[in-house]
PDB file of all heavy atoms in Angstrom:
ATOM      1  N   ASN A 302       5.991  -3.188 -12.915  1.00 98.00           N
ATOM      2  CA  ASN A 302       7.199  -2.567 -12.296  1.00 98.00           C
ATOM      3  C   ASN A 302       7.672  -3.362 -11.098  1.00 98.00           C
ATOM      4  O   ASN A 302       8.876  -3.570 -10.857  1.00 98.00           O
ATOM      5  CB  ASN A 302       6.935  -1.128 -11.949  1.00 98.00           C
ATOM      6  CG  ASN A 302       6.880  -0.248 -13.190  1.00 98.00           C
ATOM      7  OD1 ASN A 302       7.156  -0.686 -14.328  1.00 98.00           O
ATOM      8  ND2 ASN A 302       6.527   1.031 -12.981  1.00 98.00           N
ATOM      9  N   VAL A 303       6.697  -3.788 -10.260  1.00 98.00           N
ATOM     10  CA  VAL A 303       7.070  -4.558  -9.073  1.00 98.00           C
ATOM     11  C   VAL A 303       7.583  -5.908  -9.504  1.00 98.00           C
ATOM     12  O   VAL A 303       8.598  -6.428  -8.946  1.00 98.00           O
ATOM     13  CB  VAL A 303       5.834  -4.783  -8.139  1.00 98.00           C
ATOM     14  CG1 VAL A 303       6.152  -5.692  -6.967  1.00 98.00           C
ATOM     15  CG2 VAL A 303       5.344  -3.412  -7.671  1.00 98.00           C
ATOM     16  N   GLN A 304       6.967  -6.507 -10.540  1.00 98.00           N
ATOM     17  CA  GLN A 304       7.479  -7.806 -11.051  1.00 98.00           C
ATOM     18  C   GLN A 304       8.929  -7.685 -11.524  1.00 98.00           C
ATOM     19  O   GLN A 304       9.758  -8.548 -11.250  1.00 98.00           O
ATOM     20  CB  GLN A 304       6.593  -8.317 -12.173  1.00 98.00           C
ATOM     21  CG  GLN A 304       5.217  -8.789 -11.743  1.00 98.00           C
ATOM     22  CD  GLN A 304       4.427  -9.329 -12.927  1.00 98.00           C
ATOM     23  OE1 GLN A 304       4.124  -8.612 -13.860  1.00 98.00           O
ATOM     24  NE2 GLN A 304       4.108 -10.642 -12.907  1.00 98.00           N
ATOM     25  N   GLU A 305       9.204  -6.588 -12.246  1.00 98.00           N
ATOM     26  CA  GLU A 305      10.569  -6.429 -12.812  1.00 98.00           C
ATOM     27  C   GLU A 305      11.599  -6.272 -11.683  1.00 98.00           C
ATOM     28  O   GLU A 305      12.636  -6.886 -11.681  1.00 98.00           O
ATOM     29  CB  GLU A 305      10.595  -5.262 -13.762  1.00 98.00           C
ATOM     30  CG  GLU A 305       9.822  -5.586 -15.081  1.00 98.00           C
ATOM     31  CD  GLU A 305       9.758  -4.394 -16.022  1.00 98.00           C
ATOM     32  OE1 GLU A 305      10.509  -3.429 -15.910  1.00 98.00           O
ATOM     33  OE2 GLU A 305       8.850  -4.458 -16.945  1.00 98.00           O
ATOM     34  N   ALA A 306      11.260  -5.439 -10.690  1.00 98.00           N
ATOM     35  CA  ALA A 306      12.197  -5.252  -9.537  1.00 98.00           C
ATOM     36  C   ALA A 306      12.394  -6.568  -8.797  1.00 98.00           C
ATOM     37  O   ALA A 306      13.502  -6.886  -8.388  1.00 98.00           O
ATOM     38  CB  ALA A 306      11.629  -4.209  -8.610  1.00 98.00           C
ATOM     39  N   THR A 307      11.295  -7.308  -8.676  1.00 98.00           N
ATOM     40  CA  THR A 307      11.399  -8.613  -7.944  1.00 98.00           C
ATOM     41  C   THR A 307      12.210  -9.616  -8.748  1.00 98.00           C
ATOM     42  O   THR A 307      13.079 -10.331  -8.174  1.00 98.00           O
ATOM     43  CB  THR A 307       9.946  -9.188  -7.732  1.00 98.00           C
ATOM     44  OG1 THR A 307       9.161  -8.176  -7.093  1.00 98.00           O
ATOM     45  CG2 THR A 307       9.960 -10.447  -6.963  1.00 98.00           C
ATOM     46  N   ALA A 308      11.991  -9.687 -10.037  1.00 98.00           N
ATOM     47  CA  ALA A 308      12.772 -10.610 -10.876  1.00 98.00           C
ATOM     48  C   ALA A 308      14.273 -10.287 -10.802  1.00 98.00           C
ATOM     49  O   ALA A 308      15.113 -11.177 -10.637  1.00 98.00           O
ATOM     50  CB  ALA A 308      12.308 -10.546 -12.348  1.00 98.00           C
ATOM     51  N   LYS A 309      14.616  -9.039 -10.830  1.00 98.00           N
ATOM     52  CA  LYS A 309      16.020  -8.607 -10.736  1.00 98.00           C
ATOM     53  C   LYS A 309      16.616  -8.964  -9.375  1.00 98.00           C
ATOM     54  O   LYS A 309      17.738  -9.543  -9.252  1.00 98.00           O
ATOM     55  CB  LYS A 309      16.139  -7.068 -10.960  1.00 98.00           C
ATOM     56  CG  LYS A 309      15.811  -6.602 -12.404  1.00 98.00           C
ATOM     57  CD  LYS A 309      15.803  -5.105 -12.491  1.00 98.00           C
ATOM     58  CE  LYS A 309      15.415  -4.640 -13.897  1.00 98.00           C
ATOM     59  NZ  LYS A 309      16.515  -3.974 -14.606  1.00 98.00           N
ATOM     60  N   ALA A 310      15.842  -8.801  -8.324  1.00 98.00           N
ATOM     61  CA  ALA A 310      16.251  -9.175  -6.947  1.00 98.00           C
ATOM     62  C   ALA A 310      16.466 -10.668  -6.835  1.00 98.00           C
ATOM     63  O   ALA A 310      17.366 -11.159  -6.201  1.00 98.00           O
ATOM     64  CB  ALA A 310      15.259  -8.662  -5.950  1.00 98.00           C
ATOM     65  N   LEU A 311      15.588 -11.421  -7.508  1.00 98.00           N
ATOM     66  CA  LEU A 311      15.702 -12.896  -7.492  1.00 98.00           C
ATOM     67  C   LEU A 311      16.905 -13.361  -8.269  1.00 98.00           C
ATOM     68  O   LEU A 311      17.379 -14.484  -8.064  1.00 98.00           O
ATOM     69  CB  LEU A 311      14.420 -13.517  -8.060  1.00 98.00           C
ATOM     70  CG  LEU A 311      13.167 -13.438  -7.148  1.00 98.00           C
ATOM     71  CD1 LEU A 311      11.915 -13.763  -7.997  1.00 98.00           C
ATOM     72  CD2 LEU A 311      13.295 -14.428  -5.982  1.00 98.00           C
TER      73      LEU A 311
END
Side-chain angles (χ1 to χ4, degrees):
N302 287 354
V303 176
Q304 288 182 298
E305 289 176 17
T307 305
K309 290 174 185 246
L311 287 165

